[in-house]
Every structure is written in C-alpha cells, then in structure tokens.
Amino acid sequence: MKRERIYLCLAHLSGKEQKFISEALNTNWVVPIGPNVDAFEADLEAFVGDGRKVVALASGTAALHLALVASGVGEGDEVLAQTFSFCASSNPIKYVGARPVFIDSEKETWNISSELLEEAIRERERKTGRRPKAAVIVDIYGMPAKMKEIVEICDRYGVIMIEDAANAMGSRYEGRMCGTFGRYGVLSFNGNKMITTSGGGALICRDEEAKREIMFYATQAREAYPYYQHEKIGYNYRMSNICAGIGRGQMTVAEEHIEHHKKVCRLYRELLEEVEGIKLHENPDERYDSNYWLSTITMEEGVRVKGEERAYGEKVEGAVGGAAGVVHEGGGLHTECEPNRNVEAMRMALDEAGIESRPLWKPMHRQPVYAKMPSYVNGVSEELFRKGLCLPSGPYVREEDVRYIVENIKANIIR
Ligand SMILES: *Cc1c(COP(=O)(O)O)cnc(C)c1O
C-alpha cells in the first residue's frame, strides 16, 4: 500500500476561511486594516484572556521586533535570550542593534534556566556596569517555561520580560495562558504553527495603550498631521485583512487543533513506553499544560540504529523548515556541533519510510553567526540537540500514523 508522506505539522483549514476572505475581497478590504483584522484580534483577545490586548502582525518575528522597539531596546543594550530556540527568538535583538546574551536551558521544560538567568543578570551588571534591558523567554515546543521563578527574577532585577509563545498558543502554566506572563507575548501563525494565517503573528500587550503604541510602530510611525510627519522609525508590519480572514477561520478550530496535538502526544507516550533508550518529552508536573505543538523524543547514545555507518555520508539537499525558501548551497557534511549518528540514522530511516522528523533546535550559542556573543551554558541544550528528534504531530497525523511511526522507530533499533 502506498502511503502519503507524514509531515511534522501541516496547515489544516477549517473550511470557514473562504467565507472571510471572500467578504474581504467583495468589500475591497485588501489593506492591512479592516473588519477581519479587528475581528481576528477580538477572537485572539478572548482566547488569551487575562484582559490582554492583541495586535495582528505580519509574522511572529515582526511581533518580537516591535516588542523590543516598544521596550526601548537599542544600540548598546544587552538582551537575555534562550539559546535553545529558533533563530527568530534572537535575530530581532540584532535588528535593534542590541547584543543577545544566550542562556542555557534546564532539563525539565527545556526552557531557560532560572539559575543561569539570574547569574547572567548579575555578571553582566558586574562586567558592563548595566543590567540587561530585556529577556526573551521561550515556551519551546509548546512547553511552558518555569514562569514562577522567571517572572520573579525579571521583576526583581527590572528586566523587561518578553514571552516568545510562538510554539505555545493554548499552553498553560498554573492555569494561565502562555503569552501572558511578560510585558509582551509573541504568537506565530506561520504555516506550521498551531493555527495559521499563511504567514503572520501577533503581539499580546498588557493594555489598550500598549496595543496602540505597537500599532503605531507597525504602521510606519505616523504623527497626527495632514501630511507625513515622522518622529520615530516605524515599520510596515501590520497583518493584511486577507490573512486575518484565514485567521478568523482558523480560530474556529484552534481548540480542536490543540486537543489533537495533545492526543497525538498521549499516543506516543503509550506506544513508546516500552522502548528502551528513547524518552518522550512531557509536562514535568501538573502545573504545566503543554499544547504539545511538536512531540519530541531524545535517544540515548547507546541505542544502536540501522544505517548509522551511512549517517552524514551524503550532503543534504536544501535546508530544514517548511518555508526555508532560498538556502545557501555548498555546506559541508559536518559541523562542530551536530546530532549523534544514531539520531541522524533514525531521521534517515524514518525519511525513507515516508515520515518527516527533524533534529531539535541547534542552540544559538553554537551557531556561527552568534559565536562571538556572550553565553551562560550548562550543556543541557547541546545535549538535547545531540539526542533529540521532533516527530509528526499536526492535525493531519492520524492515530494509525503514530502507530506506523513508532513501529518504524522500533524496527530500526538494533537489539
Ligand atoms: C516560528 C517561531 C518564531 C517566529 O515566527 P514567524 O511567524 O515564523 O516569524 C519565533 N519563535 C519561535 C520559537 C518560533 O518557533
């Protein structure tokens, strides 16, 4: 039987998107404001709760960029950033001319270590005479960070906390929605996230005033004059009314998507329980309620996998990531920091069986582009990167697919 390829997380439409897009087209609302944008923001505000206000933007990356701008981060400032994340968590720190200071993770949630966070704040102050201005805290793969400790530290040292909840729409910590723990919270609606607007994001703000400030910066920072008057540098980052139409449709299935991701994770847990040397990443205790955007595993180095001798034998075509677009060619077979051979062999074996899997994030402090930035590390993120894989988890992944994936994992382990 020929199988469809099983992907990590494909966009899944509700069927309602068409109606909202058509309304926008029929009423000529094709600009980055309009009824869909207003309604989508209202839907998001209802979803995140806590009286928070939400601005729909062109991407999660843009949302993070504007959060830094509105926080007054600029040239000469330092910003603490979780090293174990996608580059979009730290790149905007460079966009504003500030310096990222990378912080390693703790083992329970895989997110920023509160011990290292505090150590870094103290040491940066000793070394530079100033405290870091802000911290970008990530809820990686949907798992909430240790918010109680992190919020306390950021408050105590006067560091502005920005929560990158791009993976964590609908995740909760002690009952509270991810994205509402900092001064700002970032959501992403890229094609592979919990919901999509084809491409888009949002910034969760504390109140209407903060929301208006973000909207000002997102629409080229125009002052109130009959002509274009600019006192600040602005950006063209607003979400279009067409994309917001997709978002409105997606909001009707957001809860369903979240439940589905959780169900897939429960099934992986059941099926992987007996597999020695492989561990599924799960909520550390009942305070955590991950949306399990991606189910992730780590594999011990001692596990022998078929085809290890072929791992890293051939150069890969293109790059990882659904929207990778144009990539640089001419990479080598190896870098100084890469997943273990058994992990790469498993990835290749699954690929041959029509299953997409992917290594965990490569820590930013090991990325050549960030090699010169200060970092506070404990080995956790590098170990995760060496041992880990993301498994298919999205709305199109069926129960039988999860069974097929786990069968293939087992079949490729040499006992
Ligand atoms: C996807 C993602 C972003 C960026 O969102 P875009 O909408 O793709 O710009 C930021 N942080 C993390 C952790 C992400 O996974």
Side-chain angles (χ1 to χ4, degrees):
M1 186 186 86
K2 176 105 174 62
R3 288 189 146 266
E4 294 268 326
R5 190 168 164 79
I6 308 170
Y7 293 95
L8 289 182
C9 186
L10 286 183
H12 168 263
L13 297 175
S14 68
K16 306 244 168 62
E17 290 81 3
Q18 188 88 51
K19 172 176 156 281
F20 295 119
I21 296 171
S22 297
E23 276 173 21
L25 294 174
N26 293 337
T27 55
N28 209 31
W29 275 108
V30 290
V31 285
I33 50 165
N36 280 337
V37 177
D38 294 343
F40 182 41
E41 288 177 344
D43 287 349
L44 288 166
E45 285 166 4
F47 181 89
V48 300
D50 199 41
R52 300 269 164 155
K53 297 291 167 187
V54 179
V55 188
L57 296 164
S59 68
T61 312
L64 190 48
H65 188 180
L66 291 184
L68 292 165
V69 168
S71 297
V73 177
E75 212 97 11
D77 289 325
E78 289 191 336
V79 177
L80 304 155
Q82 182 164 320
T83 189
F84 186 63
S85 188
F86 183 44
C87 64
S89 300
S90 46
N91 285 350
I93 300 169
K94 296 292 276 185
Y95 301 168
V96 298
R99 174 152 67 166
V101 173
F102 291 109
I103 315 286
D104 218 321
S105 294
E106 38 79 15
K107 284 186 172 166
E108 287 192 336
T109 73
W110 297 2
N111 292 306
I112 209 159
S113 149
S114 53
E115 279 91 36
L116 286 180
L117 180 69
E118 183 163 14
E119 185 189 320
I121 295 171
R122 287 159 169 267
E123 193 181 297
R124 297 321 294 169
E125 187 170 20
R126 268 202 307 279
K127 279 199 166 148
T128 69
R130 292 166 61 194
R131 285 180 187 165
K133 194 131 184 191
V136 179
I137 309 296
V138 189
D139 305 305
I140 208 72
Y141 300 120
M143 180 66 71
K146 294 200 168 183
M147 289 303 178
K148 189 165 167 285
E149 293 87 338
I150 292 164
V151 168
E152 194 274 318
I153 291 168
C154 289
D155 282 351
R156 183 146 45 88
Y157 290 95
V159 174
I160 297 168
M161 179 181 154
I162 299 168
E163 185 183 0
D164 179 353
N167 295 172
M169 183 177 183
S171 297
R172 290 170 186 271
Y173 173 84
E174 290 188 335
R176 185 161 155 192
M177 263 313 163
C178 283
T180 67
F181 286 90
R183 183 176 301 182
Y184 297 103
V186 173
L187 296 176
S188 167
F189 313 122
N190 204 352
N192 58 348
K193 299 291 164 79
M194 192 54 84
I195 63 163
T196 188
T197 57
S198 75
L203 193 66
I204 302 169
C205 304
R206 281 206 173 147
D207 50 34
E208 190 62 33
E209 195 188 335
K211 172 172 174 169
R212 290 187 62 77
E213 181 78 350
I214 295 299
M215 283 160 57
F216 165 79
Y217 280 112
T219 51
Q220 305 289 26
R222 289 169 296 182
E223 303 295 336
Y225 289 89
Y227 42 84
Y228 287 106
Q229 173 77 9
H230 300 289
E231 295 171 15
K232 299 268 204 261
I233 297 292
Y235 303 85
N236 182 7
Y237 276 172
R238 216 46 176 120
M239 179 178 281
S240 91
N241 196 52
I242 302 288
C243 292
I246 304 177
R248 286 180 76 184
Q250 289 279 284
M251 285 307 281
T252 66
V253 286
E255 294 290 356
E256 228 173 273
H257 284 189
I258 293 161
E259 278 318 306
H260 180 86
H261 285 246
K262 289 182 180 180
K263 194 178 97 193
V264 165
C265 186
R266 283 197 296 274
L267 196 54
Y268 276 121
R269 181 206 299 152
E270 194 184 299
L271 299 173
L272 283 167
E273 204 152 47
E274 317 277 80
V275 186
E276 222 177 294
I278 290 192
K279 190 168 179 292
L280 183 71
H281 183 43
E282 293 184 84
N283 291 323
D285 59 54
E286 63 288 343
R287 287 174 301 172
Y288 299 86
D289 179 11
S290 173
N291 66 9
Y292 292 115
W293 170 57
L294 292 182
S295 282
T296 50
I297 54 169
T298 47
M299 181 158 59
E300 287 313 313
E301 216 175 335
V303 175
R304 292 280 67 82
V305 175
K306 289 178 187 167
E308 274 178 41
E309 64 289 349
R310 291 196 310 275
Y312 299 113
E314 268 176 56
K315 291 212 301 197
V316 299
E317 301 271 328
V320 290
V326 173
V327 299
H328 274 173
E329 299 300 332
L333 289 176
H334 292 277
T335 66
E336 278 165 40
C337 177
E338 64 189 17
N340 292 332
R341 292 186 85 86
N342 60 353
V343 171
E344 174 60 6
M346 185 62 80
R347 188 194 67 75
M348 294 192 311
L350 293 177
D351 186 55
E352 269 164 43
I355 301 161
E356 183 189 26
S357 68
R358 190 182 293 171
L360 302 184
W361 305 118
K362 178 165 178 169
M364 285 303 127
H365 72 275
R366 296 305 307 266
Q367 299 287 2
V369 70
Y370 284 127
K372 294 203 178 83
M373 301 299 130
S375 61
Y376 293 80
V377 297
N378 56 15
V380 171
S381 61
E382 289 188 39
E383 181 176 343
L384 289 171
F385 176 57
R386 281 200 309 274
K387 290 185 175 174
L389 276 180
C390 302
L391 299 176
S393 313
Y396 282 106
V397 178
R398 301 161 302 178
E399 182 170 334
E400 62 192 270
D401 296 329
V402 177
R403 293 187 188 283
Y404 173 74
I405 293 162
V406 174
E407 271 167 34
N408 271 278
I409 290 174
K410 286 182 179 168
N412 281 287
I413 294 176
I414 303 167
R415 293 287 168 199

